[in-house]
Structures are given as structure tokens and as C-alpha cells.
Amino acid sequence: MPELSPARVRLALLALALGGFGIGCTEFVAMGLLPNLARDLLPDVYAASPATANGQAGALIAAYAMGVVVGAPTIAAFSARFARKKLLLVLLAVVTVATIASATLPSFGLVFAARFVAALPHGAYFGVASLVAASLLGPGKRGQGVAFVIGGLTIANVVGVPAITWLGQETGWRMAYVAVAAVFALTFLSVAAVVPAQPGNPGATVGHELKAFRRPQVWFALGIGSVGFSGLFAVYTYISPIATDVTGLPLAVVPIVLVVFGLGMTVGNFAGGWFVDRGVKRALLVAFGGTIVALAVLLFTVSTAAGLFACCFLLGAAIGGGSIAIQVRLLDVAGDSQTIAAAVNHSALNIGNTLGAALGGAVVAAGLGYVAPVGVGLALSVVGVLLAIVSFTVEARQRRRIPAAAPARSRELVSDPA
């Protein structure tokens, strides 16, 4: 690849980060527009019971999460050898078309399918874009490359999601998805124009990448992320009706609640990087412990604006720091299968999204009210921390057994002339 000017490198990095911005918008904007989606796509259910309709509409958020879970490892395993720029363009084309479909299809079932398809490129985009960004920045700057691309998602939660949520409230949820599709279309053009061509890894094979799943600690890490984050998503999925029906805030304030969450996520990203550099296990426990504290406080203060805003900030910080910790933990325990390890981090996050949205929606649809998801989220977060403790304990015991077995094996070799 020919040497690029500093200006060209900056433009390429901004193009890649714009894709992260779009993904952040498309993933989280439905949470602020959930009542709008329920009222339009489930009109009969909404007329009988808005709470039931909101609970059922949470399946649209779960559909996106399921798409990430399926797409991230599958595309990562099968596409590692493909040229990176061309792969990015294909992924962006798919998500653009699927987001347009989300904005225009008439029925709940068809929009559900469109959200699933739109999510398939999510994990692969972040993985490939991070590799490209690291290459553009040069040796020893892989972390900065990853941070730059993920930074687009963080900014989306501070600026993009609240702005598009406001747009959806004012002009209809379909226009919100049209705006998201426009972001992806702009990203496609930007990547095509300024990102240099890069080869893939011609030696990569599906079997080599899938070896990661033979390692028990990979499954532990996925479980910690999935269950731990499900506690957060059980609440965040229903943040709009919680803010309006429980806290008593006007609908116009919901975008401000989302801004506070995004600010917490930004702080969590920076703090998470600092904590992870000083011990990934401690960082995991701090992140998920913070989720437990935030949800426990929210359970008793959700009727107050101060409690809601403070806890949303803490929850955003928890997901920001926790996602970095899970990413590094997966890379630590995945051996040589680093590509798929980077991708399945997004699967873990979105398994949590699916599980949290489903369980939170179940208690809402059952008529238990919008405070019930907070209790569900608290219980799930506790399970996530317990799973982390089990994982670390098992790993420590395995490490103690290996040194103990080594001397015995050495004596065996000495006594055996063969």
C-alpha cells in the first residue's frame, strides 16, 4: 500500500468512525421510539393496552440483537481472507438497504425481519474497520485504531441517538430510520472515496478461527458479557416509557435522558481503558458491580428525575467500560483466533440485548409495570458477576494444577530411557 498523506489518513479514519456512528444510531434509536413503534405497528394491541404493546414491540430490539449474534461470528469466520475495503463496502450496502426497508415496510413482521438483516454486518464491520484503522495508524497503534472506530458509536449515543429520537418523535419513527439510512449511505460513499484498498488474510480458514470455541474460558467470557449486559438492557430497552410513565417526565425529555446515557458511555470508555490496562478481571468486576449498584439505586429512585438521570449515567458508564473489558478478556483467552474473538464480543453484547429486552418485555406485558424490568435487570447483573467469579476461580485452579503436573512429568521422562 503506498504511503498516505496525514490528511488522507485522517479522512479515512473519519469515514470508518462514521460507520460506527451509524451503527450506534441504528442499534439504540428504537429504545427511545418504542412507544411510537408499538402504536404504529401494533395498533390493535396498543389500543387495548399500551404497556402490552410496548412489551411486544421490544421484540424489534431483540431482532437487531439476534442479527448481531448470528452475523458477527459467521461473517468473521468466512470473510477473513477477503479484501478489507471491498468487504466494508458490501457490509455498508447491506445495512443501508435493510435500514431503508425498516423505514418503509408496512407490518410488524416485515420490520422485524428487516431489523434482523440490518444487524448482520454489525460485528464484522467493527472488526474489519478496526483492523483497517490500526493499519492506517501504523505499528503499535492497534488500540488507538479500535478506539477511533468505537468512538463513532460512543458519539452516536451522545449526539446521534438523541437527535434522531427527537426527529422520530416529531415526524414519525419511519423518518428516524430514513435518517439512519442516510448516515450509512454517506459512510458508503466516504469509505469508497478515501479508504485505501487493503488485502485480507489469504491464509485464514474457517476452521482456524472456530478453534476459539474449543476453549472453555471463551464460553465463560461470552456468558459473562451476555448475562451481565442483559441486566442493563432489560431496563434500557424500556427507558422511554419508564421516563414518561414512572418518572413522570414529558416525552420531549427522553432525548435528554439518552444524552446522559451517552455521556456515561463516553466516560466509561475512557475509564474502562484505564482500568483494563491495570487488570482486566478487576475491570470486569468493577463494570458489572457498577451495574448492580446503579440498578439497585434506580429500583428505589426511579420515580424521581434525579434518580433516573444519575442511574442512566452510571449504566452508560458500565456498558462503556464493560464492553472494553469483555473485548480484552476474549482476546486474552482465544489463543490465535483473534479475528473471531474481536467479532464475538459484539455477539455477547447483543445476546445480552436480546435476553434483557425479552425478559423486560415479558414482565411488562404481564402487567407488572415498568419498574419490574429494573428488578429483572438487577437479578441478571448479579448472575453475571457470579459467573465472572466462577470463571476466574476455575482459571486459577487450572493454573495451579499445571505447575504441579510439570515436575511429575519431568521425573517420568528422566526415569524412562525412551
Side-chain angles (χ1 to χ4, degrees), residues 65-75 116 120 347:
M66 288 188 292
V68 179
V69 172
V70 172
T74 304
I75 297 175
F116 178 85
L120 292 173
S347 292

Side-chain angles (χ1 to χ4, degrees), residues 38-417:
R39 185 168 52 248
D40 187 47
L41 294 174
L42 298 167
D44 294 338
V45 180
Y46 193 89
S49 171
T52 300
N54 287 336
Q56 293 181 12
L60 295 173
I61 296 167
Y64 187 91
M66 288 188 292
V68 179
V69 172
V70 172
T74 304
I75 297 175
F78 281 93
S79 65
R81 64 176 62 192
F82 296 163
R84 291 171 180 169
K85 179 176 179 177
K86 290 182 179 178
L87 178 58
L88 286 173
L89 291 174
V90 170
L91 295 173
L92 288 167
V94 170
V95 74
T96 302
V97 172
T99 305
I100 292 171
S102 301
T104 56
L105 290 172
S107 70
F108 182 87
L110 291 174
V111 173
F112 182 97
R115 298 309 299 147
F116 178 85
V117 174
L120 292 173
H122 178 124
Y125 178 85
F126 275 120
V128 176
S130 295
L131 291 173
V132 173
S135 175
L136 290 170
L137 287 170
K141 296 184 178 180
R142 181 181 179 185
Q144 292 182 40
V146 173
F148 207 99
V149 177
I150 297 296
L153 186 148
T154 301
I155 294 171
N157 280 278
V158 178
V159 179
V161 174
I164 294 176
T165 298
W166 173 84
L167 175 67
Q169 290 174 347
E170 294 296 316
T171 63
W173 66 268
R174 294 184 185 276
M175 285 304 300
Y177 281 110
V178 169
V180 174
V183 173
F184 284 122
L186 179 60
T187 304
F188 180 95
L189 296 174
S190 300
V191 169
V194 300
V195 173
Q198 287 192 7
N201 179 7
T205 66
V206 175
H208 182 271
E209 291 297 322
L210 293 179
K211 284 182 180 179
F213 296 112
R214 298 179 185 176
R215 298 170 175 263
Q217 285 297 332
V218 168
W219 289 104
F220 268 120
L222 290 172
I224 295 164
S226 300
V227 178
F229 285 122
S230 66
L232 180 147
F233 284 113
V235 177
Y236 191 61
T237 299
Y238 301 98
I239 195 64
S240 180
I242 287 172
T244 56
D245 291 21
V246 179
T247 311
L249 299 174
L251 188 62
V253 177
V254 172
I256 300 175
V257 176
L258 300 178
V259 168
V260 171
F261 178 86
L263 289 172
M265 193 173 179
T266 303
V267 171
N269 272 304
F270 286 109
W274 187 89
F275 271 108
V276 167
D277 286 341
R278 286 153 182 78
V280 64
K281 294 179 183 178
R282 183 191 306 167
L284 275 172
L285 294 175
V286 168
F288 291 118
T291 304
I292 291 172
V293 171
L295 291 174
V297 172
L298 184 63
L299 195 60
F300 296 100
T301 64
V302 67
S303 61
T304 68
L308 180 68
F309 280 109
C311 292
C312 279
F313 181 88
L314 289 175
L315 289 172
I319 192 175
S323 62
I324 295 174
I326 288 291
Q327 177 73 87
V328 175
R329 177 65 176 169
L330 280 165
L331 293 173
D332 285 347
V333 300
D336 295 332
S337 305
Q338 295 289 289
T339 301
I340 203 164
V344 296
N345 176 48
H346 298 280
S347 292
L349 285 169
N350 284 275
I351 290 171
N353 195 341
T354 304
L355 181 62
L359 294 178
V363 294
V364 170
L368 299 179
Y370 290 115
V371 178
V374 181
V376 170
L378 179 59
L380 289 168
S381 298
V382 170
V383 173
V385 170
L386 292 176
L387 189 58
I389 293 170
V390 171
S391 170
F392 302 156
T393 302
V394 169
E395 185 178 52
R397 288 178 178 174
Q398 289 174 336
R399 287 179 176 174
R400 285 196 296 268
R401 283 200 299 268
I402 291 172
R409 178 61 180 159
S410 299
R411 289 192 298 272
E412 201 176 291
L413 292 173
V414 170
S415 62
D416 186 353

